[in-house]
Amino acid sequence: MTEKSFFAGFGGQGIISLGMLWVYFAMQEGKNVTFFPFYGAEKRGGIARASVIVSDDEIASPLVTTPDSALVMNMDSLPLCEQIIKNDGVMLINSSLVKEDPRRSGIKTVKIEASGIAEQIGNILFANMVALGAMAKLTKALKFTDIEGILKKFFPADKHQYIPLNIKAIQAGFDAV
């Protein structure tokens, strides 16, 4: 199994953190990974993207030029994602912020209100965790064998108070698709 994914949104949505956590989960599950972040110079509101590869086999190149799956967290990311995703690829769209449909055919589109679900959980900042859960279910790239244990290893001790909300958001995303 090899899954090449592309996550896109704006600064402040946790796209880079999502990519880091995605590959951390995969590493803890014994997979090979690559992570390639890209973000604009702005603190918040600029572009934020992450390319990730999760594989059972050795990875020859870290570049994701034609992803198997894409996450679109804001409207500005839709044109790019629909341009680069492979035919028959899976595109997850945060329908809370993206109100248009992709113009391209030949891709599977799944919409969830990631930002809305995160607000219901208690904080819009958990939208990236909602997306993580949904992407994991759609791609089957992550197994989520020990969410709490992996989050405890990933986050520093002073952030452990947020682990229950992270778990709730991941599960809500998983259940939303």
Side-chain angles (χ1 to χ4, degrees):
M1 180 285 306
T2 297
E3 179 69 27
K4 297 178 181 180
S5 302
F6 186 77
F7 307 139
F10 57 79
Q13 285 186 302
I15 299 298
I16 305 302
S17 298
L18 169 61
M20 290 171 49
L21 190 53
W22 184 267
V23 296
Y24 192 78
F25 266 102
M27 285 189 310
Q28 296 300 309
E29 294 174 5
K31 306 236 186 264
N32 295 303
V33 302
T34 66
F35 168 64
F36 201 95
F38 178 84
Y39 46 90
E42 303 89 350
K43 290 266 184 203
R44 289 194 181 273
I47 58 172
R49 300 177 185 141
S51 300
V52 297
I53 302 174
V54 172
S55 182
D56 292 327
D57 302 315
E58 214 170 282
I59 300 169
S61 171
L63 299 179
V64 176
T65 55
T66 309
D68 302 306
S69 57
L71 169 64
V72 180
M73 287 294 283
N74 70 332
M75 189 60 219
D76 290 342
S77 299
L78 181 61
L80 173 63
C81 288
E82 72 179 311
Q83 177 184 355
I84 65 171
I85 195 168
K86 76 174 192 173
N87 288 330
D88 297 322
V90 175
M91 181 184 291
L92 178 65
I93 296 175
N94 176 11
S95 61
S96 298
L97 300 179
V98 180
K99 301 301 182 188
E100 293 181 20
D101 291 330
R103 294 185 177 129
R104 180 177 160 198
S105 61
I107 56 177
K108 179 183 177 186
T109 302
V110 178
K111 296 179 180 183
I112 65 165
E113 292 193 8
S115 299
I117 292 169
E119 280 185 303
Q120 289 174 351
I121 289 169
N123 192 326
I124 195 167
L125 296 178
F126 289 93
N128 63 339
M129 295 295 103
V130 173
L132 184 142
M135 286 292 287
K137 186 173 184 179
L138 290 170
T139 64
K140 299 176 179 52
L142 303 178
K143 293 182 179 146
F144 288 148
T145 53
D146 181 18
I147 295 174
E148 184 175 2
I150 291 172
L151 291 176
K152 281 184 178 177
K153 288 180 190 175
F154 181 80
F155 290 116
D158 66 329
K159 302 291 184 201
H160 284 192
Q161 64 190 355
Y162 302 110
I163 289 175
L165 280 176
N166 278 290
I167 293 170
K168 192 173 182 180
I170 291 167
Q171 188 63 53
F174 193 87
D175 293 342
V177 294

